[in-house]
Amino acid sequence: MNIFENAPQTEPERQYYFIDIAKDLLKKEEEKAGRKLTFHVTTFGCQMNARDSEKLSGILERIGYIKEESEKADFVVYNTCTVRENADNRVYGRLGILNGYKKKNPFMRIALCGCMMQEENVVRKIKESYSFVDIMFGTHNIHELAELVVANLQTNAMTVHILDHGQNPVENLPIDREYKFKTGINIMFGCNNFCSYCIVPYVRGRERSREPKAIINEIERMVQDGVKEIMLLGQNVNSFGKDLDPVMTFSELLHEIDQIPGLERIRFMTSHPKDLSQELIDEIAVSKHVCHHIHLPLQSGSSRLLKDMNRHYTKESYLDLVDRIRKAIPDVALTTDIIVGYPGETEEDFEETMDVVRKVKYDSAFTFEYSPRTGTPAASRPDQVPADVVKTRFDRLLKEVQKYGRERAKELEGSVGKVLVESMNREDENLVTGRLENNSVVHFPGDASLIGSIVTVKLTECRGFYYFGEMVSE
Ligand code: SAH
Ligand code: SF4
Ligand code: F3S
């Protein structure tokens, strides 16, 4: 019987069919090994990848692999990121280490997936120089993991399946959440913006919004299963719904999600400043559960560079947007992403970025040195900024960003806030650790029974960017 010819053509039935076959094949492997076989998923990159990894873990658990903390597992998946060159380099470096483990473990298999796999030169390089890798797949077919496992267990030959385009997402496959009480949910896939420096649109494909009903149903099921906090995921959530029939805005979706009983916190990521509407600002202000935290990537404070980056906003319009957000939501936490050393960046351009940092006073900021990505327009520009200049500017920016971050954190010292308790403290067994609505970390006395609940905490002491506190009754 050819198991591939007999497989159902529709999803998710097809994958459940392969999960059953993989279960039998795994049992045979386990008999040979004389023990249970384990898996480990390592995630590089952003929240989208973190969510995808929960899906990968769900499938592997359903097949029967046992989850294991270390990479010395029998089935190791690297879910890769390629947004900057150092993300790629980390994967190549660690693959060498995995190969060492594999030489000692005849049952070990290595799978690579995620954004790096959507680049032809990467796949070629792995085939040529890392032939010990067993399975490669891309961002558009993570749901096919069970099918690929079956193909690989049967043939023992390198199994590669990478699609160029996104299709409709396959829903209703098993998912293993990292935390019982919080998770991410894709509301859309891909990106249409083609910022001149960015590789994401090439590796994640065009923008596709999920059906609002499917999103709401999935969140309702998660809430029944213990989820209190949800992060709505998209590369540009503000353009959600433009491709739906009938169209729906992101703030309309947010409004509906805000009504779901039992859901306590709603976050979203990422907001592109070019289409963050007043309607959305007002919705966040009146909503009951949307966190007062907006991640609003600036990238650069120079209008000249923003134009070149294809960002569709100016320094002035960005600052105006920040003013309108702060007016409507006075206690909002604002965070951002900034790139230093974009091609052609002059000292004046950089000073414009510093000026925005001083004016906005972000609660925190991710700062990145510009990294040329093959195939993006900015990478082929002749006026790349010398590395030593980038380094000096990066250090100046980081200092400024941290100064304001500390100031903003200090302002909350002595106040009272709601904390979602996430775990026991790693160093002190008498403390638990959780997060405020603005995403800051708080440590305070408590025990494991608090994990997953939202409690009121007085922030007694600010230590740079985090707090020590004590629980108070409301
Ligand atoms: N969709 C999000 C960003 C996703 S990528 C947005 O538009 O804001 C996350 C961050 O990585 C970006 O905000 C940017 O600051 C950074 N980044 C992207 N490409 C980069 C590159 N080539 N070099 C350095 N940083 C980059
Ligand atoms: Fe990249 Fe721009 Fe899309 Fe963000 S909006 S993922 S920075 S192309
Ligand atoms: Fe990286 Fe892909 Fe996210 S390139 S930042 S993991 S979308």
Side-chain angles (χ1 to χ4, degrees), residues 46 82-85 191 193 195 197-200 234-236 270-273 295-299 311 336-340 366-373 376:
C46 66
T82 186
V83 77
R84 287 169 290 275
E85 196 186 356
C191 180
N193 291 307
C195 301
Y197 50 83
C198 184
I199 201 165
V200 171
Q235 290 301 346
N236 173 11
T270 300
S271 264
H272 195 307
H295 186 66
L296 196 62
L298 169 68
Q299 314 302 2
R311 289 291 288 179
T336 199
D337 293 345
I338 300 172
I339 298 176
V340 179
F366 295 105
T367 49
F368 305 109
E369 291 184 10
Y370 168 72
S371 169
R373 307 311 291 133
T376 63

Side-chain angles (χ1 to χ4, degrees), residues 181-183 185 219 223 227-232 254 257-258 260-268 287-293 417-422 434-442 452-457:
F181 47 87
K182 72 166 188 178
T183 187
I185 180 168
I219 300 177
V223 170
V227 167
K228 301 236 167 90
E229 176 178 308
I230 192 95
M231 166 86 85
L232 311 175
L254 212 51
I257 296 174
D258 197 36
I260 296 177
L263 183 62
E264 307 220 26
R265 275 183 176 177
I266 306 165
R267 300 184 185 278
F268 54 90
S287 74
K288 294 186 291 282
H289 305 107
V290 180
C291 290
H292 288 183
H293 170 204
K418 298 263 185 217
V419 174
L420 172 57
V421 185
E422 297 194 345
R435 281 177 192 272
L436 289 165
E437 206 182 299
N438 71 8
N439 220 22
S440 297
V441 170
V442 187
S453 53
I454 293 181
V455 294
T456 310
V457 175

Side-chain angles (χ1 to χ4, degrees), residues 236-251:
N236 173 11
V237 291
N238 300 331
S239 65
F240 171 84
K242 289 185 178 154
D243 55 335
L244 291 175
D245 183 18
V247 293
M248 183 186 208
T249 65
F250 178 56
S251 56

Side-chain angles (χ1 to χ4, degrees), residues 241-456:
K242 289 185 178 154
D243 55 335
L244 291 175
D245 183 18
V247 293
M248 183 186 208
T249 65
F250 178 56
S251 56
E252 285 165 349
L253 178 72
L254 212 51
H255 184 80
E256 288 205 13
I257 296 174
D258 197 36
Q259 316 305 317
I260 296 177
L263 183 62
E264 307 220 26
R265 275 183 176 177
I266 306 165
R267 300 184 185 278
F268 54 90
M269 192 164 236
T270 300
S271 264
H272 195 307
K274 81 176 158 73
D275 32 32
L276 198 160
S277 64
Q278 188 62 42
E279 182 198 4
L280 177 63
I281 299 174
D282 296 339
E283 177 58 39
I284 299 170
V286 300
S287 74
K288 294 186 291 282
H289 305 107
V290 180
C291 290
H292 288 183
H293 170 204
I294 302 181
H295 186 66
L296 196 62
L298 169 68
Q299 314 302 2
S300 169
S302 156
S303 296
R304 187 182 76 87
L305 288 191
L306 287 169
K307 188 163 193 323
D308 200 90
M309 288 174 165
N310 198 26
R311 289 291 288 179
H312 297 281
Y313 55 87
T314 61
K315 178 186 180 187
E316 291 68 32
S317 67
Y318 184 95
L319 288 172
D320 173 64
L321 178 60
V322 168
D323 279 346
R324 284 189 286 123
I325 293 172
R326 287 233 162 100
K327 200 173 265 163
I329 317 162
D331 64 343
V332 73
L334 288 176
T335 56
T336 199
D337 293 345
I338 300 172
I339 298 176
V340 179
Y342 178 81
E345 184 188 73
T346 62
E347 181 58 25
E348 290 72 43
D349 292 318
F350 177 69
E351 272 304 330
E352 299 277 5
T353 300
M354 294 283 267
D355 188 46
V356 176
V357 167
R358 290 181 194 120
K359 289 197 162 105
V360 176
K361 302 184 172 65
Y362 294 103
D363 290 74
S364 78
F366 295 105
T367 49
F368 305 109
E369 291 184 10
Y370 168 72
S371 169
R373 307 311 291 133
T374 311
T376 63
S380 52
R381 289 264 302 258
D383 47 354
Q384 303 289 325
V385 182
D388 55 329
V389 177
V390 178
K391 178 91 187 71
T392 316
R393 285 182 193 158
F394 182 87
D395 292 344
R396 283 162 62 197
L397 176 67
L398 190 64
K399 237 171 135 184
E400 204 72 357
V401 155
Q402 291 185 338
K403 184 177 106 188
Y404 290 110
R406 279 199 193 90
E407 271 179 34
R408 294 278 300 165
K410 191 87 183 161
E411 281 169 23
L412 287 187
E413 195 176 57
S415 70
V416 166
K418 298 263 185 217
V419 174
L420 172 57
V421 185
E422 297 194 345
S423 60
M424 294 304 296
N425 185 288
R426 257 182 270 148
E427 276 144 37
D428 184 340
E429 60 181 27
N430 298 313
L431 300 180
V432 290
T433 299
R435 281 177 192 272
L436 289 165
E437 206 182 299
N438 71 8
N439 220 22
S440 297
V441 170
V442 187
H443 308 287
F444 60 96
D447 59 41
S449 68
L450 292 174
I451 293 173
S453 53
I454 293 181
V455 294
T456 310

